[in-house]
Amino acid sequence: MQNNSCGTSRIAGCQFTLLPMSDKFVDIIMGALDEVDTSNIWKKTDDVSTCVRGKMEHVFDVTQALFLHAANTGEHVAMSGTFSIGCPGDTEADAYMDGAETPLNEATSKQISQQAGCKFSLYPMGREDYMDTIYEQIDLSKHRNVEVSASHYATRLDGDVKAIFEALHQSFDSVQEKVSHVTMTFTISANSPSNKT
Amino acid sequence: MQNNSCGTSRIAGCQFTLLPMSDKFVDIIMGALDEVDTSNIWKKTDDVSTCVRGKMEHVFDVTQALFLHAANTGEHVAMSGTFSIGCPGDTEADAYMDGAETPLNEATSKQISQQAGCKFSLYPMGREDYMDTIYEQIDLSKHRNVEVSASHYATRLDGDVKAIFEALHQSFDSVQEKVSHVTMTFTISANSPSNKT
Ligand SMILES: [Ca+2]
């Protein structure tokens, strides 16, 4: 059942959990969902996680906007998830691949200034030279607004949430141009009482 | 800088976030850390995540115990993370590879009964036949105490937390016997108000 090839759609997705460390977690999550325009992505939520799928730029736009709106409450909020593209068998939701390229939440996200820390790891699948691919394609030095540091099993980014998501998006995008199936795990945290920023 | 080979140590690790959706999140996390014996693993925590490293059985034992003790408070608690083994360059903490095999928290974990839902994905790295490896090595049907279902980009497990971690551990273990570098992402959630169990 080997099928590493991908269709023409290049549908991207993100499976994530948005976790406010607060008694008001339900209100915070519902409030974020209320503020964010998810009309151009496929979305499914259950008690463990939320999955969004569609064009890559919309998947990043919605994920970033949900985190921003939740963190903007001032509560300690974390989001952990996995971005995917080219996953063998991922062929549904083609309806969401049509339509505009402009991310729907860009304007409102721009208005929210929020510092955060993030750890991420990129996994190009099905390639023996996957380590080379990572080193060749990712140039985090051009992201002057994020502080980059090494962490176990991950790269750490510190800075404004929008600069962090921009670095994540560009890293993921540059690797998926070379490799069919790519996954990227991330955990982003804001307003932690143990964070000095 | 290609180096897919691994040393003799086969050190395993898990980078995770433990997230109680409660105003008492600091007490719950500190309480869990207080209850769990982490003396046979390397451990580092910062504001984004915690990393534990050592023998595979101890990494799973400690991760499971931390989640169990946090969930045992009755609060809605989630844990999201990535298990890794054979990661090129992961050579430190060899001191933790000596010593006993018996997981230190097995006895106390056995006493906690807790239902949860979990989504996980296995990523064998550096192999063109990675999908075959996943299908060949994972036999979740033998885990009669967990309910298995398909989810986008992941497999869902429902049942007792210890049965879930046993299935995670055995799946990870069977793939890492065939593939040098393996990562496995997971998100486990307990006491969610939107979960009927
Ligand atoms: Ca080859």
Side-chain angles (χ1 to χ4, degrees):
Chain A
M1 193 172 156
Q2 184 165 6
N3 179 15
N4 294 2
S5 67
C6 57
T8 52
S9 63
R10 294 299 281 169
I11 186 169
C14 185
Q15 174 104 245
F16 65 85
T17 44
L18 176 63
L19 303 150
M21 261 65 77
S22 162
D23 288 349
K24 301 187 290 290
F25 69 93
V26 173
D27 291 341
I28 294 167
I29 292 169
M30 298 306 280
L33 283 168
D34 206 46
E35 298 276 356
V36 174
D37 189 339
T38 61
S39 60
N40 57 5
I41 49 141
W42 180 97
K43 179 166 71 72
K44 190 175 180 185
T45 299
D46 62 26
D47 58 303
V48 174
S49 60
T50 294
C51 185
V52 294
R53 293 156 67 233
K55 286 187 181 175
M56 191 194 310
E57 54 269 40
H58 297 322
V59 167
F60 276 90
D61 171 67
V62 164
T63 309
Q64 169 186 272
L66 285 170
F67 181 74
L68 270 178
H69 283 283
N72 200 32
T73 60
E75 299 282 338
H76 179 20
V77 175
M79 179 185 258
S80 197
T82 305
F83 289 95
S84 299
I85 194 163
C87 185
D90 195 8
T91 52
E92 293 173 66
D94 286 344
Y96 291 95
M97 299 307 288
D98 299 327
E101 299 277 337
T102 312
L104 295 175
N105 300 284
E106 206 168 59
T108 48
S109 290
K110 259 188 195 151
Q111 295 167 17
I112 304 176
S113 177
Q114 174 70 53
Q115 293 292 301
C118 178
K119 292 184 188 170
F120 80 104
S121 302
L122 258 159
Y123 301 110
M125 300 307 300
R127 290 277 290 251
E128 291 174 11
D129 62 345
Y130 65 102
M131 294 303 288
D132 304 298
T133 306
I134 294 173
Y135 292 124
E136 279 164 22
Q137 298 305 322
I138 302 181
D139 180 13
L140 290 166
S141 66
K142 66 186 169 191
H143 295 280
R144 304 224 172 108
N145 297 322
V146 289
E147 189 186 327
V148 181
S149 55
S151 176
H152 270 289
Y153 309 122
T155 300
R156 178 166 179 144
L157 305 174
D158 283 277
D160 185 80
V161 170
K162 296 181 296 298
I164 289 171
F165 271 89
E166 191 187 2
L168 292 176
H169 187 170
Q170 288 187 7
S171 299
F172 185 76
D173 191 20
S174 61
V175 174
Q176 71 87 28
E177 281 177 1
K178 303 289 175 187
V179 180
S180 173
H181 183 192
V182 181
T183 66
M184 180 173 74
T185 62
F186 74 103
T187 299
I188 185 165
S189 171
N191 307 323
S192 166
S194 57
N195 192 343
K196 306 111 219 166
T197 58
Chain B
M1 191 169 160
Q2 183 164 11
N3 179 16
N4 295 1
S5 66
C6 57
T8 52
S9 62
R10 293 299 281 169
I11 187 169
C14 185
Q15 175 105 244
F16 64 85
T17 43
L18 176 63
L19 303 151
M21 261 65 74
S22 163
D23 288 350
K24 300 187 291 287
F25 70 92
V26 173
D27 291 341
I28 293 167
I29 292 169
M30 299 305 279
L33 283 167
D34 205 47
E35 299 275 356
V36 174
D37 189 339
T38 61
S39 59
N40 57 5
I41 49 141
W42 181 97
K43 180 166 72 73
K44 191 175 179 186
T45 299
D46 62 25
D47 58 302
V48 174
S49 60
T50 294
C51 186
V52 295
R53 292 157 67 233
K55 287 186 181 176
M56 191 195 309
E57 53 269 42
H58 297 322
V59 167
F60 277 90
D61 171 68
V62 164
T63 309
Q64 171 186 270
L66 284 170
F67 181 74
L68 271 178
H69 283 283
N72 201 31
T73 60
E75 299 281 340
H76 179 20
V77 175
M79 179 186 257
S80 196
T82 305
F83 289 95
S84 297
I85 194 162
C87 186
D90 194 8
T91 52
E92 292 173 66
D94 286 344
Y96 290 94
M97 299 308 287
D98 301 326
E101 300 276 338
T102 312
L104 295 175
N105 301 284
E106 206 168 59
T108 47
S109 289
K110 260 187 195 151
Q111 295 167 17
I112 304 175
S113 177
Q114 174 71 53
Q115 293 293 303
C118 178
K119 291 184 190 172
F120 81 104
S121 302
L122 259 158
Y123 300 108
M125 300 305 301
R127 290 274 291 250
E128 291 176 12
D129 62 345
Y130 64 103
M131 294 302 289
D132 304 301
T133 306
I134 294 173
Y135 293 124
E136 279 163 20
Q137 298 305 319
I138 302 180
D139 179 12
L140 290 166
S141 64
K142 66 186 171 190
H143 295 280
R144 304 220 174 112
N145 298 321
V146 289
E147 189 187 327
V148 181
S149 55
S151 176
H152 269 290
Y153 310 122
T155 301
R156 179 168 178 143
L157 306 174
D158 284 276
D160 185 80
V161 170
K162 295 181 296 299
I164 289 171
F165 271 89
E166 191 187 2
L168 291 176
H169 187 170
Q170 288 186 7
S171 299
F172 185 75
D173 192 20
S174 61
V175 174
Q176 71 87 29
E177 282 177 1
K178 304 288 174 189
V179 180
S180 174
H181 183 193
V182 181
T183 65
M184 180 173 73
T185 60
F186 74 103
T187 298
I188 185 166
S189 171
N191 307 321
S192 166
S194 57
N195 192 343
K196 306 113 218 163
T197 57

